Amino acid sequence: GQNIDQPTEMTATEGAIVQINCTYQTSGFNGLFWYQQHAGEAPTFLSYNVLDGLEEKGRFSSFLSRSKGYSYLLLKELQMKDSASYLCAPKAAGNKLTFGGGTRVLVKP
Amino acid sequence: DAGITQSPRHKVTETGTPVTLRCHQTENHRYMYWYRQDPGHGLRLIHYSYGVKDTDKGEVSDGYSVSRSKTEDFLLTLESATSSQTSVYFCAISEGETGGITDTQYFGPGTRLTVL
């Protein structure tokens, strides 16, 4: 079965750092994706973790702990354009993704 | 960005009518997916395809059928539309299933469907 938990909403100030946590229970787990989705638009790929540890990509980093069923997305030097929903999506066999409900991040000036 | 288009982009239809949504890709990717997105539910997989004429059900497949006769096209059909199928429908594609970055799914722009 699949069970994904991430906060519904977070608010942060421009220039700050925000960490979005995601816990999951996924049968046949073999990787985890993070997507960004602006209101009214399609999800866009941010990061992929398959091994434990931190993957850094510019202002965005993603961490995975397979043994704990835990991941986080770290957004640094927040900009107004980072206001969006962030979707945690563990992957199972057959390349199937299960999406969490998403975390809506609101960046304030 | 991956070359994925969806048509139509918006549609309003009546309960009981059949509706077909089209997803077209120019990337020659093997895998194609149909999702629906509703408030409070996130993205849910309807059907997916792992090759021409090879399809399988997702978690919310009841009331939907799919066909893939060519690599580039994946059709989603609502056999008899109901108001509960009012949603935003996203198509996605991925290159393969290797356990690596090529498993990344790329999404089309979406189709907003309203069933009255």
Side-chain angles (χ1 to χ4, degrees):
Chain A
Q2 321 291 348
N3 188 25
I4 302 159
D5 191 34
Q6 52 180 127
T8 304
E9 193 167 297
M10 302 180 75
T11 301
T13 305
E14 198 173 11
I17 298 173
V18 70
Q19 178 174 316
I20 306 169
N21 296 323
C22 172
T23 59
Y24 61 89
Q25 293 175 321
T26 299
S27 302
F29 175 85
N30 62 9
L32 188 142
F33 288 90
W34 284 95
Y35 284 83
Q36 180 190 59
Q37 186 176 26
H38 285 100
E41 297 182 9
T44 56
F45 168 70
L46 282 180
S47 69
Y48 175 58
N49 294 71
V50 63
L51 301 175
D52 285 358
L54 188 68
E55 293 280 343
E56 297 190 80
K57 214 175 177 181
R59 294 188 299 112
F60 294 179
S61 303
S62 56
F63 172 83
L64 176 67
S65 168
R66 295 174 69 117
S67 62
K68 294 182 180 176
Y70 168 69
S71 175
Y72 68 73
L73 180 69
L74 194 69
L75 286 62
K76 294 178 272 190
E77 301 169 21
L78 278 172
Q79 302 176 10
M80 298 299 292
K81 67 179 182 180
D82 298 330
S83 291
S85 289
Y86 293 85
L87 314 178
C88 170
K91 184 165 74 77
N95 219 25
K96 288 197 235 180
L97 299 185
T98 302
F99 285 84
T103 299
R104 190 173 151 201
V105 172
L106 178 62
V107 181
K108 295 187 171 178
Chain B
D1 288 342
I4 314 167
T5 56
Q6 293 184 230
S7 58
R9 294 293 313 278
H10 297 88
K11 186 169 182 69
V12 180
T13 191
E14 294 189 348
T15 298
T17 60
V19 176
T20 295
L21 309 182
R22 180 185 184 228
C23 178
H24 179 76
Q25 58 141 332
T26 58
E27 304 297 320
N28 201 36
H29 282 3
R30 180 182 171 195
Y31 285 77
M32 298 185 76
Y33 312 80
W34 277 108
Y35 292 89
R36 61 178 290 175
Q37 187 172 38
D38 307 287
H41 287 282
L43 280 157
R44 292 180 291 172
L45 182 66
I46 305 171
H47 281 280
Y48 67 103
S49 169
Y50 44 95
V52 173
K53 294 189 173 18
D54 291 323
T55 65
D56 206 348
K57 296 179 180 180
E59 70 175 292
V60 289
S61 59
D62 286 350
Y64 301 95
S65 62
V66 290
S67 67
R68 191 164 177 206
S69 59
K70 298 186 288 185
T71 299
E72 56 266 36
D73 289 325
F74 193 31
L75 304 180
L76 176 71
T77 297
L78 288 64
E79 292 136 14
S80 177
T82 68
S83 57
S84 65
Q85 293 176 311
T86 292
S87 186
V88 180
Y89 290 85
F90 287 103
C91 172
I93 65 173
S94 67
E95 194 171 342
E97 187 189 358
T98 64
I101 198 67
T102 57
D103 297 1
T104 302
Q105 293 185 22
Y106 297 95
F107 285 81
T111 293
R112 186 172 294 274
L113 177 68
T114 302
V115 183
L116 301 175

